[in-house]
Amino acid sequence: MTNEDKISRIQSVIDHSGNEGQYYKLLEDMGDLKGDYGDYMTTEPINCDIELKRLPMADYELATALLTMLPREAHFDNGSFLRRYETGQVDAVLTRMIETLSEKTD
């Protein structure tokens, strides 16, 4: 899948958001689901609030790990994904993914 294809798919999810499963499917379809997302994190146990502070400087790999982290957090804290979506954190990760992919295609 090209970077342009990934950008298109990510933008489609931003435009037509759904539940956590949609974000996992996006990552799976693009081959970017990070089963080892914890390896990308700097806190243990993982503190999502601290990890998300790294987003402005995240490369594509870290951004995909952060997106993998968010639905996993919801598994342990029911409702956290929706709260993060409503505050714009989920779209911020997707937007960062698009930004990093766009830098690679320029």
Side-chain angles (χ1 to χ4, degrees):
M1 180 175 295
T2 68
N3 288 350
E4 291 83 8
D5 293 336
K6 288 183 179 186
I7 290 168
S8 177
R9 289 202 179 196
I10 295 166
Q11 188 61 55
S12 179
V13 169
I14 291 171
D15 294 341
H16 306 94
S17 63
N19 63 24
E20 311 75 281
Q22 178 183 16
Y23 298 88
Y24 262 152
K25 181 164 178 22
L26 171 70
L27 291 169
E28 284 177 337
D29 290 350
M30 295 190 310
D32 292 327
L33 182 66
K34 300 288 189 257
D36 61 347
Y37 71 96
D39 292 347
Y40 293 82
M41 304 302 143
T42 60
T43 58
E44 193 169 323
I46 295 172
N47 182 320
C48 296
D49 292 321
I50 291 173
E51 298 300 341
L52 286 170
K53 289 179 182 176
R54 301 170 59 206
L55 184 59
M57 300 306 295
D59 63 8
Y60 184 76
E61 296 303 314
L62 177 56
T64 59
L66 292 170
L67 187 60
T68 303
M69 170 189 75
L70 294 176
R72 294 297 305 148
E73 175 193 31
H75 177 77
F76 299 105
D77 180 6
N78 194 20
S80 64
F81 189 86
L82 179 58
R83 287 189 303 272
R84 292 193 185 280
Y85 176 80
E86 289 173 346
T87 62
Q89 293 175 312
V90 176
D91 280 352
V93 175
L94 294 170
T95 299
R96 182 65 188 154
M97 290 168 61
I98 289 173
E99 289 170 356
T100 59
L101 288 170
S102 294
E103 292 168 0
K104 293 179 182 180
T105 60
D106 291 340

